[in-house]
Structure formats: structure tokens, C-alpha cells
Amino acid sequence: MRTALLQSSGRPGSIAENLKVLDAAAARAAAAGAGLLAAPEMFLTGYAIGDDIARLAEPADGESADAVAEIAGRYGIAVAYGYPERDGATVYNSAQLVSADGTRLANYRKTHLFGCFERDHFTPGEQPVVQAELNGMTVGLMICYDVEFPENVRAHALAGTDLLVVPTAQMHPFQFVAESMIPVRAFENQMYVAYVNRVGQEGEFEFVGLSTLAGPDGVARARAGRAEELVLADTDPVALAASREANPYLKDRRPGLYRSLV
């Protein structure tokens, strides 16, 4: 499955403008043969928007979700995107996956909040593994800081995730996560990892770009630079199965020794 990573911060504070950016990216990605378009963390609204997070937050099945579903259906491409989710009085930092026919497949709430900014505006989610079947692959969702916890990604590996999609708002000076950690996560867990970042200055944060799709051999299939960009790479279930057969990490685990971790 060809996967497109939309490296962009969109237009912070404007859902309407961000939907236009997503629409244009979906058109380009679909024309290039992509079956999935992934957008960054909090893409629909912007990340560093302060109290506007609560004002712009919507339910998982709200108007903006319907608009994304329409985009997916128009171009025949699945879409994963980040947004602030409202559930009653509670706001989550969430990511949703929509199929190519506009069906909502999965919704994930960020489980590990980063820093005071996120803890001031969001409630952490409680479900670590959220998956859906897409084009013959098991796709999992995670958000930014979550992927920096090896236990999180290993849980996905044990649950059979083939492609882990990680909408991200990775900021300076932590670019080593995209450069080094993401390929290692893909290798040690024998999966593809699509890490799609915001870019440029936004409020107090400088987002570093470097969106990456890494394979189970630890090699980056695609890597963006530091500007707005749409990058594409292929995920191959046959190559993944062969890699899993050759790599012994998951087979050689001794879970009885790891009980102290929990």
C-alpha cells in the first residue's frame, strides 16, 4: 500500500483552511497511487492555539469528521488525521482513520501527554492499542510522544499491527526521534512506522519536520526535509512477512522476565 505523509502545519486556528489543505493533498496523493494519506497531530485545528483547542474540539463523528470522510470518498483514499476530540466536557488529543469510502474505521486518544501544555488542555486516553484493517494490512494509530515509549509500540507488535501511523507534533530539539528512534522502533517491532510531523514555527514551538516512513529492516523508505512537503513510500506485506520470519526479536522474547516492568 502506497502511503502519503502530509508534512504541514496547515493554517493554525482555521478548520476550514486546513480541510482545503487536506483536500489538495488527498488529490495529489490519490493521483500518485496512494491508498492512505496521513496528516500530523492536531492537523484540523493547529497545535499551539491555546484555549481555542477547547473551542474548536468536536466529537469523533462531528462536522469536521464528515468533511474528512467526504474528502476520502471523493478521491478514493483512506485518511488518518489528528484533531482535538470533544466527548462531553472532556477533550482528548485524538487521531482518526477514515476509509477510502468515507467510513470511520478507528479513533485513538493520545495516552501519553507531553509537557504542561498538553496536560493543561487534554485528558489522556486509556486504550493503548487501536487498530483497523485497511487494504490487507492491520493499521494501528498512535500520537507523537506515545511512540517514544517502547512498551506502547511492542503492544502493537504483539497485537499484529503491520503499519503504525503516528501523527506527530515533534519539536526542536528532539529531531533525533525522527532521525534515529523511528527506524529502530520499526526494526525492533517488525512493522512499518509512518511518522508524520508538523513543520515550522507555531507559537512557542518550532516543529522540525523530518516526517519518516521506516520499514521493518530499520531503513527509512521516505524522509521529508524541514519544509512543507508530501512524501510517499510503499509498504509491502510480502516483504514484511519475510522480515518477520528472519528477525527473531518477537519469537525470542521471555515475558516471564519482564514482569517488573508493569
Side-chain angles (χ1 to χ4, degrees):
M1 176 172 62
R2 181 159 295 174
T3 300
L5 310 183
L6 172 57
Q7 178 168 285
S8 172
S9 287
R11 307 296 177 264
S14 175
I15 293 175
E17 290 301 314
N18 292 328
L19 286 170
K20 290 179 183 178
V21 174
L22 190 67
D23 185 285
R28 290 176 57 199
L36 171 64
L37 170 66
E41 180 176 5
M42 293 285 287
F43 181 75
L44 277 190
T45 60
Y47 181 90
I49 58 174
D51 291 339
D52 280 346
I53 289 173
R55 181 178 65 84
L56 296 175
E58 294 183 25
D61 59 353
E63 290 184 6
S64 294
D66 289 343
V68 174
E70 183 180 351
I71 290 170
R74 183 182 311 132
Y75 298 108
I77 186 171
V79 178
Y81 65 99
Y83 74 107
E85 178 192 355
R86 177 170 296 284
D87 185 357
T90 305
V91 176
Y92 298 96
N93 184 337
S94 295
Q96 186 149 226
L97 174 64
V98 179
S99 74
D101 66 3
T103 302
R104 292 189 301 112
L105 296 178
N107 189 69
Y108 171 78
R109 295 166 173 174
K110 189 173 186 178
T111 55
H112 295 74
L113 301 180
F114 179 77
C116 295
F117 178 83
E118 290 192 6
R119 289 192 288 269
D120 285 345
H121 292 284
F122 301 108
T123 296
E126 297 295 334
Q127 187 174 353
V129 176
V130 172
Q131 300 167 310
E133 297 302 312
L134 182 67
N135 297 342
M137 301 190 79
T138 300
V139 176
L141 295 175
M142 193 173 281
I143 300 175
C144 199
Y145 193 41
D146 291 327
V147 80
E148 298 177 36
F149 292 82
E151 301 90 344
N152 262 14
V153 188
R154 181 52 53 86
H156 269 274
L158 296 176
T161 293
D162 299 317
L163 168 61
L164 183 62
V165 178
V166 189
T168 294
Q170 182 64 68
M171 57 197 70
H172 178 81
F174 305 110
Q175 48 265 36
F176 69 89
V177 175
E179 293 170 338
S180 301
M181 186 181 292
I182 295 307
V184 170
R185 287 285 180 270
F187 179 73
E188 69 189 1
N189 291 289
Q190 286 300 289
M191 62 174 61
Y192 290 96
V193 180
Y195 186 80
V196 54
N197 199 11
R198 305 179 70 82
V199 65
Q201 195 73 35
E202 189 178 331
E204 62 184 290
F205 306 112
E206 179 190 350
F207 298 114
V208 299
L210 303 175
S211 297
T212 302
L213 195 151
D217 55 1
V219 175
R221 300 294 194 275
R223 189 186 293 280
R226 298 294 188 97
E228 293 206 354
E229 191 173 350
L230 184 73
V231 297
L232 298 99
D234 292 328
T235 59
D236 183 351
V238 174
L240 178 58
S243 182
R244 286 173 170 172
E245 183 63 29
N247 188 304
Y249 278 158
L250 298 182
K251 291 180 287 190
D252 288 349
R253 292 173 66 251
R254 297 180 62 193
L257 300 180
Y258 313 143
R259 290 174 183 150
S260 63
L261 294 178
V262 294

